Amino acid sequence: GSNRSITGLNFQPDFLWGKSRTNTLNHYLTDSVRGVNSQLYSDGTGSQGTETVIYTAFNSDGFSLGTGDMNTSGQNYAHWAWKGGGTASTNEDGSIDSSVSANTTAGFSIVNWNGTEASATVGHGLSQAPELIIVKDVDSARGWPSNIENITGTSNQYLLLNDADSAATSSAYWGGTPGASVFTVGDSANTNDDASMIAYCFHSVEGYSKVGSYAGNANADGPFVYTGFRPAFVIIKATAGTEEW
């Protein structure tokens, strides 16, 4: 309920994802590219909010909180934090210039660009093709299309982070397979609106992270999913069924 700092991360985060465990509040997502006071909500379609009392600073060993919804007295919270590449730099690899904070060692980047509502390529700043790309129109009430083509092998396939629907395909959302330096967005406002767009890009890194898929069997002795390490954080979504993330 009062200003405080969370420490012990041993790095300065560039992307924070926070959720109250005891209150029915939104998921709050902020990053260093859009600015620490700029919030998006992954469980809905709302446009970006500006709240100066949620997160107040990214620090060398963690982050600071204000008196808002992510620090209400007596409530419990979970946060996930990613180290990007610090201050964003201009990336000219695509047909649209992007502003990128990339951690190539960790296979993670934050990408911001001004959309055109026309098919275009966008530089992501990583050293290899991302396997998961999560996009949001910052300025408008739209969903969160997540490109999963490099996971499933199905062209232009996506899931919506804010929705339980099964996977769908759209060349208007994604116009081609994500590559080693760029990904392609179509002419849909959902992925390339005439507005500010943000993308979070991920690829597997041996011993650190794994992006992939498996076939469920509805059996108590379910499939073993090999990652090569003991994971601390797991996200699962059914691609063929209407199931929650």
Side-chain angles (χ1 to χ4, degrees):
S2 59
N3 294 334
R4 63 183 301 194
S5 293
I6 306 299
T7 60
L9 270 65
N10 295 317
F11 65 90
Q12 181 166 318
D14 289 293
F15 176 38
L16 287 175
W17 181 336
K19 179 71 180 79
S20 169
R21 298 170 53 225
T22 45
N23 263 1
T24 53
L25 299 171
N26 292 108
H27 291 250
Y28 279 74
L29 277 64
T30 188
D31 60 72
S32 62
V33 177
R34 291 180 297 116
V36 70
N37 297 143
S38 299
Q39 312 303 321
L40 288 168
Y41 318 100
S42 63
D43 51 318
T45 61
S47 59
Q48 175 176 278
T50 301
E51 302 184 56
T52 59
V53 294
I54 303 296
Y55 304 105
T56 59
F58 298 110
N59 304 321
S60 61
D61 189 36
F63 54 94
S64 295
L65 295 163
T67 58
D69 284 347
M70 287 293 100
N71 188 29
T72 301
S73 179
Q75 301 302 319
N76 296 327
Y77 297 88
H79 275 80
W80 302 275
W82 284 261
K83 177 180 173 60
T87 302
S89 58
T90 301
N91 182 298
E92 299 178 337
D93 290 341
S95 61
I96 296 177
D97 286 355
S98 54
S99 183
V100 177
S101 177
N103 184 342
T104 56
T105 302
F108 168 67
S109 68
I110 307 165
V111 184
N112 179 232
W113 72 97
N114 292 318
T116 60
E117 285 197 62
S119 182
T121 56
V122 181
H124 52 66
L126 299 176
S127 58
Q128 67 186 68
E131 294 159 290
L132 175 65
I133 305 170
I134 303 172
V135 168
K136 179 70 176 77
D137 182 339
V138 172
D139 297 329
S140 302
R142 305 187 192 282
W144 293 75
S146 304
N147 186 311
I148 57 171
E149 178 176 342
N150 280 348
I151 303 175
T152 65
T154 300
S155 296
N156 299 320
Q157 191 166 47
Y158 70 92
L159 290 161
L160 293 172
L161 185 63
N162 58 289
D163 200 290
D165 286 354
S166 58
T169 59
S170 173
S171 59
Y173 281 19
W174 306 103
T177 304
S181 60
V182 301
F183 58 85
T184 303
V185 288
D187 57 8
S188 170
N190 290 281
T191 53
N192 197 30
D193 193 13
D194 185 13
S196 180
M197 307 294 298
I198 196 77
Y200 304 113
C201 302
F202 304 84
H203 68 69
S204 300
V205 174
E206 185 175 1
Y208 171 72
S209 64
K210 183 66 176 177
V211 183
S213 63
Y214 64 91
N217 61 15
N219 193 306
D221 184 16
F224 172 72
V225 181
Y226 179 76
T227 63
F229 58 93
R230 181 172 181 163
F233 179 40
V234 180
I235 301 178
I236 297 173
K237 174 70 179 83
T239 57
T242 304
E243 307 288 351
E244 300 288 350
W245 289 75

